[in-house]
Each structure stands twice: as C-alpha cells, then as structure tokens.
Amino acid sequence: MWIYEKKLQYPVHVSKCDPRMAKLLLEQYGGADGELAAALRYLNQRYTVPDRVIGVLNDIGTEEFAHLEMIATMVYKLMKDATPEQIKEAGLDPHYADHDRALFYVNAAGVPFSVRHITAKGDPIADLYEDIAAEEKARATYQWLIDLTDDPDLKDGLAYLREREVIHSLRFREAVEILKEERDRKKVF
C-alpha cells in the first residue's frame, strides 16, 4: 500500500520553454531504461525474491514512480508555452498531432513503451544484476541529458535523479551480497 504525498520528491524547475529538451527527456519517461520500465521491473520482481530483499525492490520500485512524476513535470514545463512552430522544429509534430502536449509513454525517438523492457528471470541474483545494469544505464542517460542542456534549473533536477540512480545501484549491490551470503551459507538439517 502506498500513501501519496501531493508533492514531488524533489522540486522541478525549468528556466525556459525548450521542446527539444522535452523530446530528449521522453527517453527517461517511456524508454527501455527509463523510470516506468524500472518501476514496473522492480515491483514485479519483488514477488520472486527472498524475503530479505523484497523491501529493497519495493522501496526502489516505488521511488521510480516518483522519478517518473518528476520527468513528466519537466516535460510538461518545457512544453507548456511552446508554439506549434517550436514543437515542429523540435521534431515533436507527430506527437503533437496525436496527443497535443499530453504525455504519452514513448522514448526520445517516439517509439512507444513496450513490456519487452521489463525483465524477470526468476533467479534473484540474476535479476538483481539486471537491476544494477538498469540503474547504471539510467545514470549514464541522466548525465548525457545534463550535457545536452544549458538550463541550470533543469540540470539541478536531472543531477538529483542521476544521484538517486547511483544510490539504487548501491542498494541492489548490497542485496546481491546478502543473497550470495545466504546461498553460500552451510545448511545443516
């Protein structure tokens, strides 16, 4: 069960209208390594991991939804004052034709989200290594997004998200070690 607080996990500000950057941020909204894929992956995997690490997957999966909300807010703020001409220049005219300024789960290239992005092997250690890789890919993407904007306010929010990916990776690494220790422990019956 979740309790929803009507505030973002971290404040989101943008300095200017920038549909080009909004398009790029869609990668973290509906892309393979984005926040939706991460949230669904972790919350799905929690059913088949040992009790000792369920909380890690539940906590991080829940936080990924908060990150999805932050990305949605960034995209909305970057697009809300854009003219149709600016939207066209940014390459978002197909999106605009279908959805106006509404968010839709696509990546930066406009490819719709797919459940193929969500992995679950059923082996807890294999799944956690996949989760570590997902966090590291998201961290890298956030760094590249930071590199592509000159908006200091947007950079601040993206830097926060990048650092949370680092923390998630570390927590998943800790969970792997817990499971390895448990697996390697001599069992006496």
Side-chain angles (χ1 to χ4, degrees):
M1 179 172 160
W2 289 283
I3 297 172
Y4 178 70
E5 288 184 47
K6 293 183 180 185
K7 65 177 188 168
L8 294 175
Q9 182 181 13
Y10 186 83
V12 168
H13 303 286
V14 300
S15 299
K16 61 184 177 186
C17 174
D18 189 349
R20 179 195 63 84
M21 198 63 204
K23 179 181 180 181
L24 298 174
L25 286 175
L26 289 174
E27 191 62 37
Q28 288 302 89
Y29 193 67
D33 301 318
E35 303 296 351
L36 178 63
L40 295 175
R41 178 186 303 115
Y42 308 153
L43 292 174
N44 183 60
Q45 290 173 353
R46 70 187 169 159
Y47 292 103
T48 56
V49 297
D51 290 345
R52 290 191 65 199
V53 297
I54 287 173
V56 173
L57 287 161
N58 193 59
D59 292 350
I60 295 174
T62 301
E63 186 175 343
E64 298 295 0
F65 279 127
H67 296 174
L68 186 69
E69 186 177 34
M70 289 176 64
I71 292 294
T73 302
M74 290 174 185
V75 171
Y76 169 77
K77 287 182 173 192
L78 290 166
M79 290 285 296
K80 73 176 184 156
D81 296 324
T83 65
E85 292 78 28
Q86 290 173 309
I87 290 169
K88 187 176 180 181
E89 285 172 20
L92 282 167
D93 43 325
H95 180 92
Y96 182 75
D98 278 347
H99 310 287
D100 189 37
R101 288 174 180 80
L103 283 135
F104 188 73
Y105 293 109
V106 297
N107 68 12
V111 177
F113 179 80
S114 170
V115 294
R116 291 185 192 111
H117 304 323
I118 304 167
T119 57
K121 186 67 176 168
D123 177 280
I125 293 175
D127 283 343
L128 286 167
Y129 276 122
E130 170 64 30
D131 299 343
I132 292 165
E135 293 297 322
E136 293 299 335
K137 289 186 279 185
R139 177 201 47 79
T141 301
Y142 279 122
Q143 183 56 57
W144 298 328
L145 289 167
I146 290 167
D147 294 344
L148 290 169
T149 185
D150 60 356
D151 183 333
D153 290 330
L154 186 59
K155 282 184 180 199
D156 178 60
L158 293 171
Y160 173 83
L161 291 167
R162 180 194 60 208
E163 294 311 308
R164 292 307 301 162
E165 304 301 344
V166 172
I167 298 301
H168 296 171
S169 178
L170 292 171
R171 297 229 18 236
F172 285 138
R173 290 170 199 271
E174 291 166 1
V176 166
E177 293 309 312
I178 289 167
L179 294 183
K180 282 182 176 179
E181 181 182 300
E182 199 170 278
R183 176 194 68 191
D184 297 340
R185 187 178 307 125
K186 207 171 208 174
K187 294 180 176 64
V188 179
F189 296 98

